[in-house]
């Protein structure tokens, strides 16, 4: 159980930090990021929405009280990452990083459910 908790918190911490940093870049409208979104044709308001949702999702993953919020955050991040992979493939840009993050998210979720089953 201790090993499972360590794996869960390391992967969850990594995911939360990555999405918190990403949220910061989206909300401050980093020039390189905005240029990339303009290149693929996404509107500016989409960047702001993603920034807000990534911030809220990161906080939801770290909270120990609201399991339903955690489930929504995992689902939302999964959909976002699948969409990012698809967009990168469609625009012929590197898709490896979203794929790696999706795998880390999957490991985090697997151990989240495993720990939940042990405490139930």
């Amino acid at each position: 159980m201790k090993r499972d908790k360590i794996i869960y918190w390391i992967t969850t911490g990594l995911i939360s930090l990555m999405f918190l940093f990403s949220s910061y870049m989206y909300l401050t409208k980093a020039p390189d990021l905005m240029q990339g979104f303009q290149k693929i044709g996404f509107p500016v308001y989409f960047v702001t929405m993603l920034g807000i949702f990534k911030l809220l999702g990161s906080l939801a993953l770290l909270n120990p009280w609201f399991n339903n919020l955690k489930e929504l955050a995992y689902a939302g991040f999964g959909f976002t990452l699948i969409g990012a992979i698809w967009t990168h493939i469609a625009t012929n840009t590197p898709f490896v990083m979203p794929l790696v993050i999706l795998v880390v998210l999957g490991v985090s979720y697997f151990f989240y459910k495993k720990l939940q089953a042990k405490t139930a």
Side-chain angles (χ1 to χ4, degrees):
M1 177 122 160
K2 186 175 181 179
R3 178 189 71 99
D4 293 350
K5 278 187 180 181
I6 290 170
I7 294 170
Y8 166 73
W9 280 111
I10 287 173
T11 56
T12 304
L14 283 172
I15 289 294
S16 292
L17 284 174
M18 283 188 273
F19 276 107
L20 281 172
F21 179 71
S22 175
S23 173
Y24 172 77
M25 288 180 55
Y26 280 51
L27 294 175
T28 59
K29 297 192 177 26
D32 290 344
L33 178 83
M34 295 308 292
Q35 185 180 17
F37 272 95
Q38 286 173 344
K39 182 180 174 184
I40 58 177
F42 287 161
V44 174
Y45 68 84
F46 189 69
V47 176
T48 304
M49 279 181 8
L50 280 175
I52 291 168
F53 293 145
K54 286 180 177 192
L55 174 65
L56 294 174
S58 295
L59 297 175
L61 281 187
L62 294 174
N63 95 73
W65 304 287
F66 302 108
N67 290 331
N68 289 341
L69 282 179
K70 224 176 259 241
E71 292 282 344
L72 284 173
Y74 276 116
F77 285 156
F79 296 140
T80 299
L81 290 166
I82 290 168
I85 292 166
W86 186 264
T87 301
H88 282 283
I89 290 171
T91 58
N92 224 9
T93 55
F95 65 91
V96 174
M97 194 60 183
L99 183 61
V100 169
I101 296 170
L102 183 62
V103 169
V104 174
L105 181 73
V107 171
S108 171
Y109 186 72
F110 174 79
F111 281 97
Y112 167 66
K113 294 307 269 183
K114 191 171 180 180
L115 289 171
Q116 257 193 338
K118 287 181 179 179
T119 58

